[in-house]
Amino acid sequence: MPVEIERKFIAHPSVLALCRSGTHFVQGYLYTDDANTIRIRQAGERALITWKSPRRGACRDEIEFAIEPEDGAALLAAVPAGRRLEKTRYRVDHAGAVWDVDVFGGALSGLILAEIELEREDQPVVLPPWIEGEVTADARYRNSRLAAGALPERRAA
């Protein structure tokens, strides 16, 4: 089974100067609990269904497959607003690695998250200067939780 290994960070708005053309995403969460997340995503013209297992550190099992765009639109339309989110994803290169920078819209406007996918969990990562802090293990920054539309309250350092 494919394993996703990624780390997630809050990004400073200065990263926007590096964001050129992005892909608009609309995501709806069909099901989520402590063990599973099932999501429908419209990514540009594509529609994808994704299942994700619980996180084990920076790792989790993930299965994703494409579906017909019309079916994806119908599924997204059936997902209540409190289980959907919109964002634009940009790809930004730094120190030989590609970062996914997600700029959220709607009630989440102002939130910018950056993710980096890794080959191994202990792989070293050179953090860009626009990274503010890591939220990989902070459940408040899971997209399935963010879909409720509330920005997480920032904890004091």
Side-chain angles (χ1 to χ4, degrees), residues 44-64:
E45 300 298 318
R46 300 180 61 209
L48 305 157
I49 297 268
T50 307
W51 168 83
K52 294 185 179 195
S53 73
R55 187 174 291 283
R56 300 174 310 279
C59 303
R60 64 180 162 185
D61 299 326
E62 177 183 78
I63 297 173
E64 183 169 75

Side-chain angles (χ1 to χ4, degrees), residues 72-107:
L75 279 171
L76 269 173
V79 175
R83 293 190 358 221
R84 282 191 311 236
L85 61 80
E86 292 191 43
K87 61 186 181 181
T88 301
R89 175 165 286 172
Y90 300 91
R91 311 272 295 177
V92 176
D93 293 323
H94 178 77
V98 178
W99 290 75
D100 288 330
V101 176
D102 291 338
V103 179
F104 289 81

Side-chain angles (χ1 to χ4, degrees), residues 10-19 101 103 110-113 129-132 154:
I10 295 174
H12 186 271
S14 61
V15 71
L16 297 175
L18 305 172
C19 296
V101 176
V103 179
L111 178 63
I112 305 170
L113 296 177
W130 37 264
I131 290 297
E132 292 186 346
R154 300 289 289 272

Side-chain angles (χ1 to χ4, degrees), residues 2-141:
V3 176
E4 172 188 67
I5 305 170
E6 74 178 10
R7 291 175 61 191
K8 184 183 288 195
F9 301 83
I10 295 174
H12 186 271
S14 61
V15 71
L16 297 175
L18 305 172
C19 296
R20 303 289 182 249
S21 65
T23 302
H24 185 254
F25 287 11
V26 180
Q27 293 179 184
Y29 291 85
L30 301 168
Y31 181 82
T32 185
D33 65 15
D34 291 336
N36 300 281
T37 298
I38 301 172
R39 165 188 84 201
I40 177 71
R41 173 187 275 175
Q42 183 179 11
E45 300 298 318
R46 300 180 61 209
L48 305 157
I49 297 268
T50 307
W51 168 83
K52 294 185 179 195
S53 73
R55 187 174 291 283
R56 300 174 310 279
C59 303
R60 64 180 162 185
D61 299 326
E62 177 183 78
I63 297 173
E64 183 169 75
F65 57 92
I67 63 171
E68 292 297 323
E70 312 76 54
D71 295 334
L75 279 171
L76 269 173
V79 175
R83 293 190 358 221
R84 282 191 311 236
L85 61 80
E86 292 191 43
K87 61 186 181 181
T88 301
R89 175 165 286 172
Y90 300 91
R91 311 272 295 177
V92 176
D93 293 323
H94 178 77
V98 178
W99 290 75
D100 288 330
V101 176
D102 291 338
V103 179
F104 289 81
L108 299 171
S109 283
L111 178 63
I112 305 170
L113 296 177
E115 299 175 351
I116 186 164
E117 293 210 12
L118 307 171
E119 293 179 19
R120 344 177 284 285
E121 194 167 1
D122 64 349
Q123 180 178 334
V125 175
V126 177
L127 296 180
W130 37 264
I131 290 297
E132 292 186 346
E134 185 162 6
V135 293
T136 301
D138 190 336
R140 298 173 307 147
Y141 288 91

